[in-house]
Amino acid sequence: MQLDDYQQLYKNNLLDDVIPFWLKHSGDNEFGGFFTCLDREGSVYDTDKFVWLQGRQVWCFSMLYNRVEKKQEWLDFAIQGAEFLKKHGRDAEGNWYFSLTREGLPLTQPFNIFSDCFAAMAFGQLYKATGNSEYGDIAVSTFHAILRRQENPKGPYNKAYPGTRPLKSFALPMILCNLVLEMESLLPPELVEQTIASGIHAVMDEFYRPDLGLILENIAPDGSFSDSFEGRLINPGHGLEAMWFIMDLAERSNDQQLIQKAVDRTLAILEYGWDNQYGGIFYFLDVKGTPPQQLEWDQKLWWVHIETIISLLKGYLHTGDERCWTWFEKVHAYTWAHFVDTEYGEWFGYLDRRGDVLLPLKGGKWKGCFHIPRGLYQCWKTLDAIAHKKANPLLQD
Amino acid sequence: MQLDDYQQLYKNNLLDDVIPFWLKHSGDNEFGGFFTCLDREGSVYDTDKFVWLQGRQVWCFSMLYNRVEKKQEWLDFAIQGAEFLKKHGRDAEGNWYFSLTREGLPLTQPFNIFSDCFAAMAFGQLYKATGNSEYGDIAVSTFHAILRRQENPKGPYNKAYPGTRPLKSFALPMILCNLVLEMESLLPPELVEQTIASGIHAVMDEFYRPDLGLILENIAPDGSFSDSFEGRLINPGHGLEAMWFIMDLAERSNDQQLIQKAVDRTLAILEYGWDNQYGGIFYFLDVKGTPPQQLEWDQKLWWVHIETIISLLKGYLHTGDERCWTWFEKVHAYTWAHFVDTEYGEWFGYLDRRGDVLLPLKGGKWKGCFHIPRGLYQCWKTLDAIAHKKANPLLQD
């Protein structure tokens, strides 16, 4: 395949397949919000509403409206989801529930801070689309609540006995690296700079082990290795996704050295996480090679693969490193051969180690309208930029 | 294989392989208690101590001492585990922590009532072995605490929003059916009878769906079906294990009708849960055939298979139903071909759908010295009883 084939493929899959799939199947015209539990053909098999996925879908359609085309249908879809969230999503303190019934009654308490992260992302992007200050206010107050909760995100639902083995987790600092750029126009510049600096420090220094070339999922508060199930855990997809967040931050400050670091680490994590026997990237690994707790460790997940492709393409765009393109072609081939459903549209989410479909769903409790469309958009635009650069050799770094 | 081959196999695997494996590898001579995270060869790969597994191993060695042979080594092993638990296992209110460090510091809060169930089982069985009233008191007070907590077992760690979708879970009433017999000599007879009656009612009536011939894992408080991820969940292994608990209760009250019911349901659940493509019993299924939440749904787990074999053999012993023996031979063949590690001893715990080893551990956070030795003991004794009955035709019902 040539560069322009890839450009067309990512763009067309986004605009002619994935987005129409969600527009057609996921809107709840009766109660508002989105159904995300969709089977292979798009039929709703469960009506619960997970705040992660409600927020992510509001973000997705707002982002398409802001960046691709001012389609009223996209904006209306985002607004009806946001109105559902605004009305039903929060407790009295403004914390976001984890899940709601179809009608909007709270089902699961606000134990999970990522509900708040994706709500902030949603309302921030929708504010850009509408200029509606109510949406902006929800985004900003949620962002501040996240910063306040970040030292003990699970609050009273934290089951760890205090003090015995405190651990810091990679996921929140990683998400903040992306969220802060989403929210930039709504936040004071010094808070933006400070959040970016501490995010880069966490991702590139604190959780990174130079001796391994890998990012750990959990570390002790002083940064040391915890020889425990949590401490030994590697989530290659998390590290790989974080590397394009870092490249975006580095691009913003024109830090070519940081981009090169992120590229090197992308390649190191990918080489470590790739399944040489069956192809694809493992979901979880144990850094000491001992058995991980996660029974799903050897499965191949949609988000891991599309996020990896983004990092490889951005790495190639910014550095021209041929290893990025070679790996891109390899991960692309695996991904399009196994995840993309050419019969009913959209992508499968969960494959077994051998690449066979494990669950034939298009959406569920964790897979919604987010990683695939965001990734397709990012890849399409990055491929365009690569083509533009190749056509204009003077732009080469 | 002939009946006496099976008798020998189950007995020898217990006494010459599995028990020596745990005696050799799992004792912590420095801090007391047991290591349960053992790799294929028996080496310790993690030193955390999970209260479920500490209690279960104390129970196992006490049970062997009480029922197989008065070996001092077995009793000493149980006592050192119990002393570790007694010293470190409980919070100030007597609730059992979920996990401890190697040294005995609390790691995870007492959110999981099954820690208490297996502690009660451990101290009850050890009381029988030693007559030490301190052990008996711990068992009894823990049992009463379980009954007090049974309506809201997770206490403050329950993340469900109160009232929106209350659900009752099968696991606790099921475990109580077994625990009450373990504790019988320590409890007032009326409490025993009452616990048995409500346990049988829960397992055979409340959670059982006559239209499906299956047991649901979660139901609404009024017994109705909840069309949600939790409500649609079938855990075939739970249902299959519960059926021999019911047969034991029915044998105690000489209720042949109840035994026949339990046998019929064993066969129905097994036919539903059996993987016709690759063999073995699925871990989780969705009763409506929609995608379950559990990514590990298609895996084959050690405890599911040994517990099924117990129910089939007890069913055959009590009813002579040839379907039980036919299924026993089929499940036995799968189990011994895939789970038993003839090279390093003990059994693998986790296989993928195709029957290949998914995690090469012999023990971990959830697999310890319990289901395999208990099952081997139960099968050995049940096979002996079958042989005895065959040799004495007048004993036939």
Side-chain angles (χ1 to χ4, degrees), chain A residues 26-138:
Chain A
S26 74
D28 182 352
N29 298 322
E30 199 174 336
F31 293 96
F34 309 107
F35 300 117
T36 64
C37 296
L38 305 178
D39 68 13
R40 185 177 178 191
E41 301 177 36
S43 301
V44 177
Y45 65 87
D46 192 277
T47 59
D48 283 355
K49 289 171 179 163
F50 303 97
V51 171
W52 276 40
L53 301 191
Q54 300 294 313
R56 285 170 153 195
Q57 189 158 347
V58 170
W59 175 86
C60 182
F61 280 90
S62 306
M63 183 278 288
L64 291 172
Y65 179 85
N66 288 332
R67 299 204 204 163
V68 178
E69 193 186 333
K70 296 277 173 286
K71 275 201 188 187
Q72 193 60 39
E73 185 187 19
W74 291 350
L75 185 62
D76 291 343
F77 210 50
I79 288 175
Q80 71 86 12
E83 288 296 319
F84 180 84
L85 273 179
K86 192 182 87 183
K87 192 165 169 193
H88 302 294
R90 290 163 294 178
D91 71 7
E93 283 77 48
N95 299 309
W96 294 85
Y97 293 116
F98 180 74
S99 65
L100 310 168
T101 63
R102 180 182 176 188
E103 299 78 10
L105 294 173
L107 264 175
T108 313
Q109 300 278 16
F111 75 99
N112 186 300
I113 200 166
F114 301 103
S115 309
D116 304 74
C117 291
F118 302 123
M121 199 168 160
F123 284 95
Q125 193 67 231
L126 186 59
Y127 169 73
K128 276 187 216 168
T130 60
N132 182 334
S133 64
E134 194 186 12
Y135 297 148
D137 292 345
I138 293 174

Side-chain angles (χ1 to χ4, degrees), chain A residues 193 196-197 200-201 204-205 243 245-263 314 318-319 397:
Chain A
E193 294 308 324
I196 289 176
I200 293 175
H201 176 63
M204 300 306 278
D205 303 324
M243 290 305 101
F245 295 171
I246 294 295
M247 289 184 220
D248 278 4
L249 293 173
E251 187 187 10
R252 178 180 168 278
S253 59
N254 199 20
D255 184 342
Q256 192 63 28
Q257 214 179 0
L258 182 56
I259 289 178
Q260 188 60 54
K261 247 194 211 175
V263 168
K314 288 196 187 241
H318 294 305
T319 67
D397 304 304

Side-chain angles (χ1 to χ4, degrees), chain A residues 37-39 45-48 50 97 100-102 105-111 156-162 164-165 227-230 232 278 283 288 290-299 301 350 352 354 356 358-361 364-366, chain B residues 37-39 45-48 50 97 100-102 105-111 156-162 164-165 227-230 232 278 283 288 290-299 301 350 352 354 356 358-361 364-366:
Chain A
C37 296
L38 305 178
D39 68 13
Y45 65 87
D46 192 277
T47 59
D48 283 355
F50 303 97
Y97 293 116
L100 310 168
T101 63
R102 180 182 176 188
L105 294 173
L107 264 175
T108 313
Q109 300 278 16
F111 75 99
Y157 304 100
N158 187 350
K159 292 182 290 200
Y161 190 88
T164 305
R165 185 186 292 154
D227 193 357
S228 59
F229 281 106
E230 294 78 12
R232 293 190 298 269
Y278 296 105
Y283 190 10
K288 291 179 75 175
T290 57
Q293 278 187 71
Q294 288 77 9
L295 299 184
E296 64 274 29
W297 72 274
D298 68 348
Q299 297 175 10
L301 269 67
Y350 302 91
D352 68 15
R354 293 167 191 248
D356 292 334
L358 179 80
L359 291 171
L361 58 82
K365 183 175 175 179
W366 303 104
Chain B
C37 296
L38 305 178
D39 69 13
Y45 66 87
D46 192 277
T47 59
D48 284 354
F50 304 96
Y97 293 115
L100 310 167
T101 62
R102 180 181 176 187
L105 295 173
L107 264 176
T108 315
Q109 299 279 15
F111 75 99
Y157 303 101
N158 187 352
K159 292 182 289 199
Y161 190 88
T164 305
R165 186 185 292 154
D227 193 358
S228 59
F229 281 108
E230 294 77 13
R232 292 190 299 270
Y278 295 105
Y283 189 10
K288 290 179 76 176
T290 57
Q293 278 186 75
Q294 288 77 8
L295 299 184
E296 64 273 30
W297 72 274
D298 69 347
Q299 298 176 9
L301 269 68
Y350 302 91
D352 68 15
R354 292 166 191 251
D356 292 334
L358 179 81
L359 291 171
L361 58 81
K365 183 175 175 179
W366 302 104

Side-chain angles (χ1 to χ4, degrees), chain A residues 287-362:
Chain A
V287 74
K288 291 179 75 175
T290 57
Q293 278 187 71
Q294 288 77 9
L295 299 184
E296 64 274 29
W297 72 274
D298 68 348
Q299 297 175 10
K300 312 293 162 66
L301 269 67
W302 82 105
W303 66 266
V304 174
H305 292 75
I306 187 72
E307 297 298 336
T308 299
I309 290 173
I310 303 172
S311 288
L312 290 168
L313 287 177
K314 288 196 187 241
Y316 184 67
L317 170 67
H318 294 305
T319 67
D321 190 325
E322 285 298 332
R323 294 174 304 166
C324 289
W325 189 259
T326 307
W327 262 115
F328 159 70
E329 291 200 299
K330 185 169 173 175
V331 181
H332 169 92
Y334 178 89
T335 299
W336 290 76
H338 292 88
F339 285 105
V340 178
D341 183 2
T342 50
E343 200 172 342
Y344 291 97
E346 243 275 343
W347 294 32
F348 295 113
Y350 302 91
L351 312 178
D352 68 15
R353 180 166 180 187
R354 293 167 191 248
D356 292 334
V357 174
L358 179 80
L359 291 171
L361 58 82
K362 295 296 161 55

Side-chain angles (χ1 to χ4, degrees), chain B residues 57-94:
Chain B
Q57 189 158 348
V58 170
W59 176 86
C60 182
F61 280 90
S62 305
M63 183 279 287
L64 292 172
Y65 179 85
N66 288 332
R67 300 205 202 160
V68 177
E69 194 185 334
K70 295 275 171 288
K71 274 202 187 186
Q72 193 60 40
E73 186 187 20
W74 291 351
L75 185 62
D76 291 344
F77 209 50
I79 288 173
Q80 72 85 13
E83 288 296 318
F84 180 85
L85 273 179
K86 192 182 86 183
K87 193 165 169 193
H88 302 295
R90 289 164 294 176
D91 71 7
E93 283 76 48

